[in-house]
Amino acid sequence: MAEPAELAALRAKVLGQVDQWLAISRDESPWTTAPGIVSAWPPLVHAEHMALAGLGSVGQLDKALEREGGPPIGFMGRLVLLLGWIPRGIGKAPPTTAPKQVERAEVTALLESLRNRVSALDLERIATARGRAHHPAFGGFTARQWFRFLDIHHRHHLRIVRDLKNAGRPD
């Protein structure tokens, strides 16, 4: 079981990732999509998706804290958590996390809200919680697994944005 110290390190990591998304949301560079990069979204749209998915994940984490049982984790959920990696180009954002391509200021506000929610998480409660809440592709995650998923999902999209940025640089 993850101890609060491990969860504190995870929170610091996730907050650092949210800070990277905030920087992306404020960056007015003309990055778009790039040939050879598996992504139909420019960086700001990834940032919006991260805000929506992150807020949804924290909401599901909260639901897992409020119950004793819940749906079992699926094979793909176990695999993603074990590997700490999501393959590119296979999954599709659920409708609740699909970007609507809102204004930059709204993306920034959503990310700031996510930062506040992650900062306020009760790590001791997460460490001992046994309930699960549903992920549309991976089955039921415990609160701790939802928290770990936040990190994995952020890293997945940050790598895509890094590749988009690097593809836009002249050789």
Side-chain angles (χ1 to χ4, degrees):
M1 177 186 318
E3 297 300 318
E6 293 171 58
L7 291 173
L10 181 57
R11 176 178 18 220
K13 188 175 182 183
V14 169
L15 288 172
Q17 293 162 343
V18 174
D19 287 342
Q20 290 177 62
W21 287 114
L22 279 162
I24 290 165
S25 77
R26 294 176 176 129
D27 186 343
E28 296 188 27
S29 299
W31 306 347
T32 58
T33 58
I37 307 296
V38 178
S39 176
W41 298 341
L44 183 62
V45 177
H46 281 276
E48 180 186 356
H49 171 63
M50 288 295 87
L52 296 170
L55 289 167
S57 293
V58 172
Q60 290 299 93
L61 184 158
D62 288 340
K63 285 182 183 178
L65 289 173
E66 297 303 322
R67 50 175 77 138
E68 285 299 315
I73 190 169
F75 173 76
M76 290 305 293
R78 287 186 190 281
L79 192 60
V80 164
L81 292 173
L82 175 70
L83 298 176
W85 176 76
I86 300 169
R88 283 193 194 174
I90 293 176
K92 190 169 184 173
T96 56
T97 68
K100 294 157 188 62
Q101 301 192 29
V102 297
E103 296 295 320
R104 183 178 304 282
E106 189 172 340
V107 174
T108 300
L110 287 167
L111 287 164
E112 287 169 348
S113 177
L114 174 59
R115 189 174 210 304
N116 292 337
R117 295 280 308 274
V118 171
S119 294
L121 289 172
D122 182 342
L123 301 183
E124 297 224 1
R125 202 160 164 226
I126 290 170
T128 59
R130 312 274 301 163
R132 295 181 175 277
H134 179 72
H135 183 283
F138 301 133
F141 283 162
T142 64
R144 188 170 52 253
Q145 290 168 329
W146 272 108
F147 202 14
R148 175 137 163 69
F149 176 73
L150 269 174
D151 166 48
I152 294 166
H153 195 221
H154 283 293
R155 284 186 287 118
H156 169 75
H157 284 273
L158 284 167
R159 282 191 291 269
I160 294 169
V161 168
R162 178 204 60 211
D163 291 351
L164 287 169
K165 183 176 182 180
N166 289 340
R169 290 184 181 156
D171 290 332

